[in-house]
Amino acid sequence: MKAFITVIGKDRVGIIHGITSVLKDCNVNVLDIIQTRVESYFTMIMFVDLEGMSTDYKVLKSSLDAAGETLGVTVKIQHEDIFNSMHKL
């Protein structure tokens, strides 16, 4: 199973490290990543593989939410099938 993770917020040092540390701790593999800075805002989209995940999806989501709160960013995770359904014409 795969998912998309989006991160948006004021740019600061450590955002990528903070989010990818959660993924590493949960054994989630990052398949693709794109990030940019617009004015003073940081945005990132990651496509991740949850197949080898060592924890429950709810625990992963909660851990990402906690990391986002610590970092001052908003973090959202969506299963690939939900993401695809939302973006079909």
Side-chain angles (χ1 to χ4, degrees):
M1 174 181 338
K2 295 179 177 70
F4 285 93
I5 297 172
T6 58
V7 181
I8 300 172
K10 285 280 206 181
D11 192 25
R12 63 170 279 202
V13 173
I15 296 173
I16 296 169
H17 178 265
I19 300 303
T20 56
S21 292
V22 170
L23 300 178
K24 178 192 139 310
D25 292 345
C26 295
N27 201 40
V28 173
N29 189 32
V30 177
L31 301 173
D32 202 357
I33 182 171
I34 186 168
Q35 67 206 33
T36 191
R37 188 168 179 251
V38 178
E39 296 277 334
S40 62
Y41 290 93
F42 173 84
T43 62
M44 177 169 63
I45 300 171
M46 292 186 283
F47 187 51
V48 299
D49 186 355
L50 305 177
E51 276 306 309
M53 185 168 53
S54 62
T55 190
D56 180 77
Y57 182 83
K58 289 181 182 180
V59 172
L60 172 62
K61 183 180 180 330
S62 176
S63 297
L64 288 169
D65 288 343
E69 188 172 321
T70 299
L71 295 164
V73 297
T74 302
V75 182
K76 301 290 183 189
I77 184 168
Q78 290 182 327
H79 285 283
E80 178 185 26
D81 53 350
I82 293 172
F83 182 88
N84 287 335
S85 294
M86 290 176 54
H87 293 90
K88 285 185 180 177
L89 295 176

